[in-house]
Amino acid sequence: QVQLVESGGGLVQAGGSLRLSCAASGRTFSNWALGWFRQAPGKEREFVAVINWSDSSTYYANSVKGRFTISRDNAKNTVYLQMNSLKPEDTAVYYCAAGRLATHSSNTYDYWGQGTQVTVSS
């Protein structure tokens, strides 16, 4: 059974940093993509970043490019999202997702974590 477990969310002031973790288990993800999405109250879920497990290629939403960094640790089967220069508009529940393609569309991801809350105060 595939499980994705996020951690690392919390409350931070604008300009601060957080690192989210997504621990993956239940299958081999060597040819998969692991992504981060977020959903703010009253808004649709949106793409944040994705990494291809095989070659570590990465893609980012324009809104986070230059501020967020996605990375992976093979030994720990874990994906990270380092978030710097956080803004109040980054406030959302952040979800980890696994899929066979590194896309911006949440519809292409097969597995999802439970989410972790990130709140950025002004």
Side-chain angles (χ1 to χ4, degrees):
Q1 180 180 358
V2 174
Q3 278 196 314
L4 303 175
V5 180
E6 302 101 331
S7 60
L11 173 64
V12 64
Q13 288 190 331
S17 299
L18 281 174
R19 189 178 80 156
L20 305 183
S21 299
C22 172
S25 62
R27 68 162 297 127
T28 301
F29 291 97
S30 56
N31 294 315
W32 285 57
L34 274 292
W36 287 96
F37 288 77
R38 66 187 182 186
Q39 188 166 19
K43 294 188 176 182
E44 292 188 353
R45 190 170 297 188
E46 65 173 0
F47 168 78
V48 176
V50 63
I51 186 167
N52 276 306
W53 200 270
S54 58
D55 63 4
S56 293
S57 56
T58 58
Y59 306 93
Y60 296 92
N62 287 336
S63 59
V64 306
K65 202 172 292 184
R67 300 188 298 123
F68 290 11
T69 302
I70 189 170
S71 62
R72 63 168 172 76
D73 184 326
N74 278 352
K76 296 182 179 180
N77 233 28
T78 298
V79 173
Y80 303 98
L81 186 68
Q82 178 67 43
M83 305 186 295
N84 298 329
S85 303
L86 283 162
K87 305 175 181 180
E89 51 264 42
D90 294 318
T91 295
V93 177
Y94 283 69
Y95 297 91
C96 178
R100 296 184 183 274
L101 298 174
T103 76
H104 293 194
S105 173
S106 61
N107 293 333
T108 65
Y109 290 80
D110 299 303
Y111 304 104
W112 292 84
Q114 82 288 351
T116 185
Q117 177 70 47
V118 171
T119 303
V120 184
S121 63
S122 57

